[in-house]
Amino acid sequence: MTRSLKKGPFIDERLEKRISQLNKSGEKKVVKTYSRATMISPDFVGHTIAVHNGKKFIPVYITENMVGHRLGEFSLTRIFRMHAGDRKEGKAKS
Amino acid sequence: MARIAGIDLPRRKRIEIALTYIYGIGLTSAKKILSIAGVNPDIKVNDLTDEDTDKLRKVIEADYKTEGTLKLLVKEDIKRLKEINCYRGIRHKKGLPVRGQRTRTNARSRKGPSKGSVALKKKADK
C-alpha cells in the first residue's frame, strides 16, 4: 500500500528545518538524525547526513539519484560476519 | 507470419494468449491492446489478416515497452540501486532476496542451487 499523495512525502520537520538553515547559510555540516523514515527530498542533495542505525550514526552523502528513497535505506542495521566454517574452507582451497 | 516486436507469435494459439509470448506483455495488457486495435481476441494467430497484425504492431510500438528496451530499462534500474548503495542495491549485489523474504531457508532462486548437502558429501568421502 503506498502512502496517500494528499499527505505528501514524510520528512522529519526538525531535520527539514536544519537542512533549510544550512542551505540558507550555505554551510555543509554533518547533521545527525534518528529519522530513518524520512524521504530524501531534492533539498538534501549535496549534504552529508548521519543516519542512526540503532547503534551509531552512519554518514550518508546524498546524491541526486537518492531522491525519493528513505534515509534508512542507506544505513544498514545488520552486519554479516562470516560463518564460522567459511574461513577454514577458504584456506583449504588456496 | 505474424511477427511483432521481434518475436514470432505461436501460430496455433489465440491471439490473446499469443501476445503474452512477448516480454513485457501479460494477459491484461494483451486484452487491452486487442480492444484498442479492435481485433477479436479469439482469432488464432494463423487466421489473422495482415491488416490486423499491422494494427497490433502499431499499438504495441506506440504504447508498450517490450523485449530489448524493457530489459535494458530494468537493468538500468537495478544498476542505479547498486550505485547509490541503498539496501535494495546491496541485496542485488549480494544475490540475496531484495524484498524482505526469509533467507534462513529457501531463497534458492536468488542464492542458486543449494551448497549444503554437497559439502557434507565431500566430508563423508574423506
Side-chain angles (χ1 to χ4, degrees):
Chain A
M1 182 84 129
T2 46
R3 182 180 166 89
S4 158
L5 284 177
K6 183 187 84 184
K7 298 181 188 174
F10 171 79
I11 297 170
D12 187 56
E13 284 171 23
R14 290 174 59 202
L15 185 64
E16 204 180 9
K17 249 184 226 165
R18 284 290 306 275
I19 297 279
S20 62
Q21 272 172 18
L22 286 184
N23 274 340
K24 265 181 209 160
S25 59
E27 274 178 290
K28 291 274 151 83
K29 250 193 239 163
V30 179
V31 183
K32 278 188 185 180
T33 181
Y34 286 94
S35 170
R36 296 168 54 81
T38 291
M39 189 92 88
I40 293 173
S41 85
D43 305 343
F44 293 10
V45 173
H47 287 283
T48 305
I49 300 176
V51 186
H52 199 67
N53 74 347
K55 188 174 177 186
K56 51 182 187 179
F57 292 95
I58 307 232
V60 178
Y61 178 75
I62 310 291
T63 62
E64 223 163 282
N65 276 334
M66 295 178 178
V67 172
H69 287 264
R70 288 166 188 280
L71 286 178
E73 286 182 58
F74 303 97
S75 162
L76 300 190
T77 56
R78 283 154 213 249
I79 19 167
F80 178 76
R81 296 267 157 82
M82 261 194 281
H83 290 302
D86 279 4
R87 213 189 299 152
K88 273 182 205 163
E89 261 182 29
K91 269 183 191 170
K93 270 177 199 167
S94 60
Chain B
M1 189 187 289
R3 202 173 163 78
I4 297 180
I7 289 282
D8 286 323
L9 298 183
R11 294 174 183 196
R12 290 193 188 159
K13 305 235 176 211
R14 288 161 62 222
I15 181 64
E16 185 183 54
I17 302 298
L19 283 181
T20 66
Y21 279 67
I22 303 169
Y23 182 85
I25 295 177
L27 199 56
T28 315
S29 34
K31 281 176 183 163
K32 249 183 218 163
I33 290 165
L34 288 165
S35 73
I36 291 171
V39 178
N40 181 1
D42 295 327
I43 303 180
K44 296 268 159 63
V45 174
N46 263 345
D47 306 333
L48 267 184
T49 60
D50 282 348
E51 281 171 44
D52 284 345
T53 6
D54 271 353
K55 272 190 220 159
L56 289 175
R57 202 170 288 140
K58 264 178 202 161
V59 173
I60 289 173
E61 270 165 23
D63 298 344
Y64 288 86
K65 287 164 187 154
T66 51
E67 289 300 323
T69 2
L70 184 58
K71 278 178 185 162
L72 212 81
L73 281 176
V74 173
K75 245 181 222 163
E76 265 169 32
D77 287 344
I78 293 175
K79 210 182 129 206
R80 200 194 102 240
L81 289 174
K82 283 180 182 171
E83 270 167 12
I84 63 177
N85 240 342
C86 70
Y87 182 73
R88 278 173 66 198
I90 291 166
R91 301 300 281 184
H92 272 296
K93 274 187 206 163
K94 287 188 178 168
L96 289 169
V98 176
R99 300 187 179 171
Q101 299 97 321
R102 66 153 39 199
T103 53
R104 179 174 182 154
T105 65
N106 301 332
R108 293 300 8 155
S109 326
R110 288 287 298 178
K111 286 167 122 181
S114 130
K115 303 158 199 165
S117 59
V118 181
L120 283 177
K121 264 182 204 164
K122 269 183 192 169
K123 266 181 199 169
D125 285 346
K126 280 173 194 172

